[in-house]
Amino acid sequence: MPSYLRQLGDSSGPAPPETVADLRKYLVEVPDPRARRGIRHPWTALLAAAAAAVLSGAVSITAIGEWVADAPQRVLALLGFRPDPLTGLFRPPHATTIRLVLAAADGDALDRAIGRFLQERQAPAAGRRLIAVDGKTLRGSRTRQKTATALIAAMTHGGQVLAQRQVDGKSNEIPAFAPLLDGIDLTDAVITADALHTQHDHASYLHERGAHYLAVVKRNHPGLHERVRRLPWRDIRLDHIERTRAHHRDEIRRLKTTAFAHIDYPHARQALQVVRWRRDMGTGKLTIERIYLVTSLPPGAATGSELAAWIRGHWHIENQLHHVRDRTFHEDASKIRTRNLPRVMAGLRNLAIGIHRQDGHTNIAAALRRTGRDHQRPLTALGLT
């Protein structure tokens, strides 16, 4: 057969490089809580099967069970399932077994394994690492007896989740900030977060880890906000201006930066003012918003256009992660509430989104459909071949 016909016959698309990490190498770090007696399926095989199913678009435990039940014998073997000693056939696990396994899995250990896998899978990017920190509540996990599960995640501005932790139901995101970032190399990284994390302890922690911050200053820090707001912004030159037209509105963003000798915030070197002019193209209504920030980056470490891009890039964690989990995976509509299931399923969705982003897909829904058409595709993406 001519070579060009053989190429046409291969519709699975280009395979990732041979250096793609093997997910199972990281899943072995997730402890197996099951008693030894009566175990039929390997722990890592069950977790890998759930990951492959979610990578193919499964949004529920039932859908994961259906994907595994339809998997060919070769796929079950690659996932790590054992053959029946009498028949030699690979028997897929029941959906109930998958539910019990995922409900018992350690969410922290699973998220650490996923974060390390995604970091090894992607080649190091040139330039500074930009990491956004933000929280999300799984609304469908709320019951009469307990509050909804709340999670906080660290994600690169490119859409790769590096870490995730569950927030204590009796607290908020602030105590979870440092533990979330403990397992990530923060050397020379820039951390962006909302005003809730503009905390003195957070700034000191990031400085000790060799990282920089872009911290939003709002009225929940009245003294700091007033000092930054009263800087002579009218006399400070403009560093960056940008005009865009999207979502039925015109928007102009102006950025100014200034250095100062001292301000009552640890390791702060510059203050920033962002002015946003927005005009609704339908109603003609004009709104003006002023946002103030402080950063530990020294003057000259980043241009005005870079700072503006980093400030806007923080909201990618909303658009590229939380929005996708809600709209594409229907996370807020999910009624999964048993034990660790809400947390574990969120981690598996992070894994799927991260892999598809790394592989160059911008439309996650289309990537899920494409992956779901061939049982081999998710295994290739997870390095299980």
Side-chain angles (χ1 to χ4, degrees), residues 12 19 39 41 108 119 135 140 156 191 197 207 217 255 332 340:
S12 60
T19 57
I39 291 180
H41 302 291
D108 286 334
Q119 290 182 68
T156 66
I191 311 301
H197 294 291
H207 180 75
V217 180
L255 172 71
D332 275 351
N340 298 334

Side-chain angles (χ1 to χ4, degrees), residues 45-208:
L46 292 165
L47 294 179
V54 174
L55 192 62
S56 300
V59 298
S60 66
I61 301 298
T62 300
I64 292 175
E66 291 171 349
W67 185 92
V68 177
D70 291 340
Q73 291 286 293
R74 179 175 179 274
V75 169
L76 294 175
L78 289 172
L79 287 169
F81 290 105
R82 292 190 290 258
D84 186 287
L86 297 179
T87 64
L89 298 176
F90 294 90
R91 297 186 179 276
H94 194 272
T96 301
T97 301
I98 298 174
R99 176 183 292 274
L100 293 173
V101 164
L102 296 183
D106 184 327
D108 286 334
L110 180 61
D111 278 326
R112 283 195 298 270
I114 290 172
R116 290 187 58 208
F117 168 76
L118 288 174
Q119 290 182 68
E120 181 172 328
R121 189 178 186 274
Q122 185 176 46
R128 291 185 184 271
R129 297 183 74 193
L130 304 169
I131 301 174
V133 174
D134 197 21
K136 185 180 188 299
T137 299
L138 310 182
R139 298 181 182 180
S141 63
R142 181 182 291 110
T143 67
R144 293 182 179 180
Q145 291 76 30
K146 68 173 186 177
T147 59
T149 300
L151 304 173
I152 182 172
M155 188 194 83
T156 66
H157 284 200
Q160 171 188 340
V161 177
L162 302 177
Q164 180 176 263
R165 286 186 67 88
Q166 186 164 337
V167 177
D168 188 343
K170 298 181 180 180
S171 182
N172 57 30
E173 298 174 19
I174 295 175
F177 182 85
L180 172 73
L181 298 175
D182 278 342
I184 304 174
D185 180 10
L186 300 182
T187 305
D188 208 32
V190 177
I191 311 301
T192 61
D194 58 25
L196 177 66
H197 294 291
T198 303
Q199 306 288 334
H200 284 59
D201 289 345
H202 292 359
S204 298
Y205 167 81
L206 294 175
H207 180 75
E208 292 172 1

